[in-house]
Amino acid sequence: MTKADLISQIEDLEEQSSVLEPSEGERAALTRHVTGFAASFINRLSSTNAFQSKILQSVAITGNPSPLTDILELYNSEVVGTGINAASGGHLGYIPGGGIYAGALADYLAAVTNPFAGAYFAAPGAAAIENEVVHWLKELFSFPETATGCLSSGGSISTLIALTAARDKHGIKGTHVYSAVVYLSSHVHHSVQKALRIIGLEDVVLRSIPTDTRHRMDAQVLADQVIADEQSGLHPFLVVGTAGTTDTGAVDPLEALADITEKHGLWFHVDAAYGGFFILTDKKHLFMGIERADSLIVDPHKGLFLPYGVGAVLVKDRHAVLQSHFYTANYMQDAADEELALSPANLSPELTRHFRGLRVWLPLQLYGTEPFATCLAEKLLLVNYFRLGVQELGFEVGPDPDLSVSYFYYPFSGDSNHLNRLLLEQLHADGEVFFSSSQVDSRFVIRIAILSFRTKRSTVDAALAMVERCLQRVRSNT
Ligand SMILES: *Cc1c(COP(=O)(O)O)cnc(C)c1O
């Protein structure tokens, strides 16, 4: 091939692929469609059901181009119109999501500018923004400046990072695995067991510590169990406490757990994925002792109302976490630690990664922290407001919640578990707001979790009206 042929072929291909770099006018048109769609989505939120069950049509990739309007129409019917609307304030099930608009704009900027945020040398500013978010979190939870941490895709990956550091710090490998003991409360999130399995610790001895009447881990049982295990020749090494359980929003007695772990030289991990940011409210006292944890996870995509895909992990012993994740062995020297820890990729399984620091940093810069704190305080009051309302309808409720998750059930005469299950089916069939369910002490209960920034008093009033009409349907059907 002559040079002239080569040039002509390159020019052809350049021409054919130029669609990937639209002109400014074309970009503006595309952006207008998308922002128009987003605007109408947000405008319709308050009048749209929080839950819709639906048979999916096709979202197949045909390989051929389609107009953006068609794609958005498909997106609207197949994605926006199906399942739980997690952007809706009526999402009161599981742990509700967020999606503040400023977070979406930050994602847009991050995607357009696309810095390589995993490596400090490649994108020092982007790494600095992520590290600043970690720094802010360290201050929030009174972790020392020497602690390290990074942002992850969510609580599950954060847990993986923290427990891997615990494993490596305590040298739990080979035959040690079989005598190592891990202590969890019976309300621990399943991502902990999942992480243990992934990191090769599925054969450790797992102790499920019972909870008290407020669903908090019973510290006395834990203390006794650790001593019993030590005496029988096992090697206790890890205690997982939860600051805001998924089921009931309970905060374990962190100070008491820290006393036990300190006394016995155990790694103390705190799962604050859901509850952590309530430390910004007058519930701060419940978090006393969290600063004594060896590792801590918290999910900005929950308590900071950000779009899904951002968790955080803090680890006090930077050697432990670097040992698990750094990727250039020769650099593993004390002197280099400071710089190694500046690159998020050295603290996480990810190398190339989304610049997720921006979606935390930008909203915090734009609004300051106060609106986040007040919105969380509002959620705490709203759950109490719901509990009062549902009791007026004759329901039983769980104990006073530590945070913004609670549960309720109707004391039907007859098979109460079965009838409350029927009630949940009615609630899902109605769908105006969305509740999930759980088992608490073998009782079928309906959960309410208030965490969306869009959940307002009017939402709770609508939820109560819906509970009332669904209760009537169950009663008239049975
Ligand atoms: C949500 C949650 C997790 C898991 O976090 P993901 O972000 O969903 O991966 C872990 N622990 C608790 C207490 C949670 O609420």
Side-chain angles (χ1 to χ4, degrees):
M1 191 187 290
T2 66
K3 189 168 176 187
D5 281 346
L6 192 57
I7 289 174
S8 123
Q9 282 195 27
I10 290 173
E11 283 176 344
D12 276 353
L13 295 175
E14 190 177 309
E15 166 67 26
Q16 287 166 38
S17 61
S18 65
V19 62
L20 297 179
E21 182 68 288
S23 69
E24 188 171 355
E26 288 164 336
R27 287 200 305 275
L30 292 169
T31 309
R32 232 181 356 260
H33 278 304
V34 171
T35 54
F37 183 92
S40 99
F41 172 78
I42 294 172
N43 290 341
R44 279 184 287 127
L45 269 178
S46 55
S47 57
T48 316
N49 274 6
F51 181 67
Q52 274 166 283
S53 55
K54 182 172 179 233
I55 311 294
L56 286 179
Q57 309 298 315
S58 172
V59 290
I61 295 172
T62 63
N64 300 315
S66 319
L68 182 58
T69 43
D70 291 2
I71 298 168
L72 291 177
E73 208 168 288
L74 190 69
Y75 186 74
N76 191 47
S77 71
E78 301 309 299
V79 180
V80 170
T82 58
I84 303 167
N85 187 342
S88 161
H91 177 14
L92 308 176
Y94 307 108
I95 297 293
I100 57 170
Y101 197 66
L105 294 179
D107 271 6
Y108 173 74
L109 274 183
V112 170
T113 56
N114 205 28
F116 193 87
Y120 185 77
F121 77 90
I129 281 185
E130 174 155 345
N131 292 333
E132 177 56 22
V133 172
V134 169
H135 173 76
W136 179 74
L137 291 170
K138 286 194 286 195
E139 295 208 319
L140 188 62
F141 293 103
S142 305
F143 265 46
E145 192 42 49
T146 50
T148 190
C150 68
L151 300 181
S152 69
S153 59
S156 302
I157 300 299
S158 299
T159 302
L160 198 68
I161 293 170
L163 299 193
T164 304
R167 178 197 69 185
D168 294 350
K169 168 84 175 178
H170 283 255
I172 311 296
K173 56 183 178 179
T175 53
H176 296 310
V177 172
Y178 300 96
S179 61
V181 194
V182 175
Y183 303 84
L184 314 169
S185 102
S186 49
H187 282 263
V188 77
H189 192 272
H190 72 270
S191 56
V192 172
Q193 287 97 326
K194 186 169 157 184
L196 289 172
R197 204 164 62 221
I198 294 171
I199 65 174
L201 298 185
E202 75 171 305
D203 293 325
V204 296
V205 180
L206 272 188
R207 299 280 187 229
S208 175
I209 306 299
T211 54
D212 63 17
T213 53
R214 303 280 304 268
H215 305 301
R216 300 164 174 167
M217 193 194 287
D218 190 325
Q220 190 54 51
V221 176
L222 173 69
D224 295 345
Q225 185 68 52
V226 170
I227 290 168
D229 287 336
E230 280 178 347
Q231 283 170 352
S232 69
L234 294 171
H235 295 109
F237 96 96
L238 169 67
V239 172
V240 179
T242 308
T245 58
T246 312
D247 256 354
T248 64
V251 180
D252 286 336
L254 303 175
E255 202 82 84
L257 300 191
D259 287 343
I260 297 165
T261 52
E262 232 163 69
K263 181 161 168 217
H264 295 272
L266 315 181
W267 183 286
F268 180 28
H269 173 71
V270 175
D271 179 350
Y274 148 65
F277 289 109
F278 284 99
I279 200 171
L280 288 163
T281 71
D282 65 1
K283 294 284 185 171
K284 190 174 164 98
H285 60 281
L286 291 175
F287 294 84
M288 296 245 298
I290 202 167
E291 73 286 351
R292 294 165 69 189
D294 294 288
S295 55
L296 158 67
I297 70 155
V298 63
D299 269 353
H301 68 198
K302 292 176 179 163
L304 285 185
F305 321 117
L306 296 175
Y308 287 140
V310 60
V313 55
L314 302 180
V315 181
K316 275 207 188 124
D317 185 329
R318 62 172 59 203
H319 287 267
V321 69
L322 283 169
Q323 183 181 340
S324 318
H325 292 107
F326 77 98
Y327 60 94
T328 330
N330 296 343
Y331 283 50
M332 190 53 190
Q333 291 189 1
D334 293 357
D337 271 11
E338 194 59 44
E339 212 177 298
L340 274 179
L342 289 176
S343 288
N346 285 333
L347 307 168
S348 138
E350 298 177 89
L351 177 56
T352 305
R353 58 215 287 287
H354 176 55
F355 175 27
R356 51 179 78 96
L358 192 63
R359 54 150 75 165
V360 188
W361 182 86
L362 188 146
L364 288 175
Q365 296 288 66
L366 187 62
Y367 300 128
T369 50
E370 198 52 31
F372 294 93
T374 50
C375 197
L376 287 166
E378 179 199 21
K379 305 305 118 178
L380 293 169
L381 297 187
L382 285 176
V383 82
N384 287 330
Y385 178 71
F386 178 84
R387 283 164 54 91
L388 284 178
V390 86
Q391 281 171 286
E392 281 165 19
L393 297 175
F395 282 80
E396 302 281 338
V397 295
D400 267 344
D402 285 337
L403 302 176
S404 68
V405 178
S406 186
Y407 59 86
F408 59 100
Y409 55 93
Y410 196 77
F412 291 103
S413 52
D415 186 346
S416 173
N417 279 1
H418 173 66
L419 291 165
N420 277 289
R421 199 186 299 273
L422 291 184
L423 174 58
L424 185 77
E425 282 171 16
Q426 286 294 342
L427 294 170
H428 284 178
D430 186 301
E432 183 176 349
V433 305
F434 179 76
F435 294 101
S436 59
S437 70
S438 190
Q439 298 277 339
V440 176
D441 305 330
S442 71
R443 182 188 286 288
F444 181 92
V445 298
I446 302 172
R447 273 175 80 257
I448 175 159
I450 300 190
L451 196 62
S452 166
F453 67 103
R454 290 197 174 106
T455 303
K456 298 287 151 195
R457 190 164 67 86
S458 58
T459 327
V460 175
D461 286 334
L464 288 165
M466 171 177 151
V467 168
E468 188 172 17
R469 67 177 176 263
C470 290
L471 176 64
Q472 275 160 10
R473 282 178 203 149
V474 173
R475 280 174 151 169
S476 55
N477 288 348
T478 53

